[in-house]
Amino acid sequence: MSRTRSANGRSSVYRDSSGIWHGWVSMGRDEKGKPVRRHVRGRTRAVVSERVADLERERASSAGLAAAHRRPTPREGPPRRQTLGEWLDEWLVLVKRSRKPRTFTTYDALIRTHCQQLRSVKLHEVTVRHIDDLLHHVATTVSPTTAGNLHRTLRSAFTVAVRRGLVSTNPCRYATVPRVAHVEVEPLSVAEVHRLLSIAAGERNAARWAVALALGLRQGEALALQWSDIDLENGTLAVRRQLQRHPWEHGCVESEPRHPPAECPQRHSGGLRFDDTKSGAGRRVLALPPQMVPQLLDHRRAQAAERLAVGSAWEDHDLVFPRPGGGPADPRNDHRVWKRLLARAEIREARLHDARHTAATILLAQGVDGRVVMSLMGWSQAVLLTRYQHVMDTMRVEAAAKVGTAIWGD
C-alpha cells in the first residue's frame, strides 16, 4: 500500500495494495473534542480526488462548524444543545423559503404527525436506533410507504444539520428503511380508453380527457394549460406550469390561534395558484396527435360561445379547461368528473393519475424508445420506467421473435 502521510487536519489520498484509491478528509471535531474524519474510495485517483474536493467544499460551507465546537469561556458556561424538535422547526422554515408549498406541507405533516416522541431528544444524541424504531413504528401502524417518505424527509433535515456542523454524521444514512411492496401499474386498456372518450364527448371540456389519456399530462399541468401554450397550426402543446392548491396561512395577531389557518378571517397566501412544473423535465413541448387538433378546435369554439354568454363576468385567464365563468378549475371537481365518467362507461375503479400511466403504457406498447417516453412524460429519473416492466418485457419478447424470424425465417 502506497500512502503519503498528511499534516494534521489535511486531506489525504492514497492507493492500497489491491489498487483501490482512498481519501480521508478531516471534518472538524465532535462534541467530545475528538477529530471527525470522512472516508471515500474509488477505482481511480481522479474519482477519489473529486469526492475529497466535494467533502472539503462541504466542510468550508459549514458556517456553524467553528462556533459549534468552540470552547466556551467560564463566564459563558457550557453551550445549550439544540433538540431534534427545535432543529426540525428551524429546518422547515428553510424548506418553506426554498421549496414549493406542497413540498413544505408534506414535510410539515410528516414531522408533526410522526416525530413527536423524538422532539425532546438532543439533536446530537439521535442515533440510528432511534430512527430505526421510529420507521418501524410508522411502517406497522400506518404504512411502509409513509415510513419511506418520513425517512427521506428526516435524511434531508440531517444532511443540512451535518453541513452546518450541528452533528457530525447523519443517522438516517444507516437506518433500515421498511420495504415497500411493489405495486403493478394498472392502466386502462385501449378499448376502455375508446369507451371513456366516447362517453366524455358529450361533456363540457370533453377534450380535457383526450389530453389526459393521449398526452399523459398531470392533473395540475392540464388544468394550467393556456391557449397560448397550444399551436394548432403546427400541432404542438407546451407544458410550462401547473395549477396547485397552496395551504392557507394565519393572518391574525394571536400567537397561538385556536382556529386552523383555513378558517382564519385574515388568512392569506393560500388557494389555487399557478406554479412552475414539478421538475425541470416537466417543462416540455409535445406533438399533438393529428386526430386531437379538430377536437381542440371544436372545444375552443364551444368555449368562445360560453364566454359570449357569460359576458363581462368572464374571468379571462386564457385557460383551456376552466371552470364555468373562466376561472381555474378546482382539482377536486375535476376528479369528481373523472369518477363519474368511469361509472358511466362501466369501467373499473381507477385513479385520475392512472390516465397518465395509460398514456405511458400505450407509448411503450407502440415501441417508442424509453428515453423518448421519459421526455414526453416529463420524467427526470429513468427509474420511473421500471414501473412499466411488464410492457418492456413484452417488447423484448417481440423483438427477440423478430430477430429470430429475420435470421432463421418462420
Side-chain angles (χ1 to χ4, degrees):
M1 176 174 67
S2 60
R3 177 171 183 171
T4 302
R5 182 176 179 83
S6 300
N8 290 338
R10 298 290 299 275
S11 304
S12 61
V13 176
Y14 64 92
R15 184 173 60 183
D16 63 21
S17 58
S18 63
I20 300 297
W21 285 88
H22 299 262
W24 288 91
V25 182
S26 176
M27 303 299 289
R29 296 181 178 275
D30 62 15
E31 61 273 13
K32 296 181 180 179
K34 295 182 179 180
V36 176
R37 303 195 76 200
R38 298 272 291 277
H39 173 242
V40 294
R41 65 179 182 177
R43 295 189 177 276
T44 65
R45 183 183 187 115
V47 170
V48 173
S49 297
E50 184 177 350
R51 293 175 180 173
V52 166
D54 288 340
L55 287 174
E56 289 176 337
R57 283 191 290 270
E58 179 181 321
R59 179 183 62 191
S61 66
S62 300
L65 185 60
H69 298 300
R70 181 176 61 85
R71 292 185 177 181
T73 63
R75 180 174 297 180
E76 290 177 331
R80 179 182 175 276
R81 294 290 185 179
Q82 197 173 29
T83 65
L84 174 62
E86 291 170 340
W87 166 243
L88 291 177
D89 291 342
E90 182 178 332
W91 176 72
L92 283 172
V93 173
L94 302 177
V95 171
K96 191 172 185 178
R97 293 172 179 171
S98 59
R99 305 292 292 275
K100 293 181 179 178
R102 176 169 287 189
T103 302
F104 166 76
T105 302
T106 301
Y107 288 175
D108 179 58
L110 284 169
I111 289 172
R112 181 166 26 86
T113 305
H114 305 295
C115 294
Q116 295 300 320
Q117 64 198 62
L118 293 180
R119 286 188 63 87
S120 60
V121 179
K122 297 296 183 182
L123 180 61
H124 70 284
E125 293 178 352
V126 177
T127 64
V128 178
R129 179 63 179 273
H130 283 124
I131 304 298
D132 278 343
D133 291 345
L134 176 62
L135 296 180
H136 176 73
H137 174 73
V138 173
T140 53
T141 59
V142 185
S143 73
T145 300
T146 302
N149 293 337
L150 179 62
H151 173 258
R152 286 189 290 273
T153 302
L154 291 176
R155 185 177 61 190
S156 297
F158 272 98
T159 296
V160 178
V162 170
R163 289 175 180 169
R164 297 192 170 202
L166 302 176
V167 291
S168 58
T169 59
N170 186 340
C172 297
R173 288 184 59 190
Y174 312 102
T176 302
V177 184
R179 181 177 177 274
V180 178
H182 175 71
V183 178
E184 195 73 45
V185 173
E186 294 186 21
L188 303 183
S189 67
V190 174
E192 288 173 328
V193 170
H194 287 163
R195 195 158 70 248
L196 191 144
L197 291 180
S198 176
I199 293 293
E203 293 278 333
R204 180 182 178 274
N205 284 345
R208 156 80 179 96
W209 311 111
V211 166
L213 291 162
L215 302 181
L217 268 63
R218 299 176 177 91
Q219 183 189 38
E221 294 170 345
L223 297 183
L225 270 181
Q226 296 178 336
W227 285 111
S228 59
D229 300 325
I230 300 178
D231 185 345
L232 293 176
E233 183 176 346
N234 294 311
T236 61
L237 181 151
V239 180
R240 298 190 175 102
R241 70 195 71 79
Q242 61 177 335
L243 182 68
Q244 293 289 307
R245 189 182 302 279
H246 287 220
W248 292 103
E249 296 186 21
H250 280 289
C252 52
V253 296
E254 300 178 42
S255 57
E256 296 184 4
R258 297 182 179 180
H259 55 272
E263 297 178 6
C264 181
Q266 288 83 38
R267 66 182 187 178
H268 62 89
S269 303
L272 296 175
R273 299 171 63 180
F274 296 108
D275 284 337
D276 290 335
T277 53
K278 186 176 181 180
S279 64
R283 294 181 64 88
R284 58 202 189 275
V285 177
L286 308 176
L288 293 172
Q291 298 87 341
M292 187 181 291
V293 174
Q295 294 182 44
L296 289 171
L297 283 170
D298 291 342
H299 174 63
R300 188 165 64 178
R301 284 191 288 267
Q303 189 179 104
E306 181 180 327
R307 178 173 182 168
L308 189 63
V310 172
S312 60
W314 180 269
E315 299 179 46
D316 189 8
H317 297 278
D318 194 36
L319 293 172
V320 179
F321 304 118
R323 69 169 184 262
D330 189 323
R332 288 176 293 205
N333 289 338
D334 183 66
H335 185 262
R336 293 188 191 104
V337 174
W338 166 260
K339 293 293 187 181
R340 188 169 67 247
L341 289 174
L342 289 177
R344 289 178 55 195
E346 298 182 349
I347 297 175
R348 60 177 171 79
E349 183 71 15
R351 303 171 305 165
L352 177 52
H353 200 70
D354 289 336
R356 180 168 165 81
H357 292 317
T358 299
T361 303
I362 292 175
L363 285 169
L364 289 168
Q366 296 302 312
V368 179
D369 183 80
R371 289 169 295 182
V372 176
V373 174
M374 284 186 60
S375 174
L376 295 175
M377 301 303 292
W379 292 334
S380 57
Q381 297 177 337
V383 69
L384 293 173
L385 276 175
T386 61
R387 306 177 71 180
Y388 303 86
Q389 195 62 48
H390 57 294
V391 181
M392 305 291 283
D393 289 342
T394 301
M395 291 167 57
R396 292 189 184 99
V397 171
E398 292 174 353
K402 290 179 182 178
V403 170
T405 301
I407 296 176
W408 293 286
D410 294 333

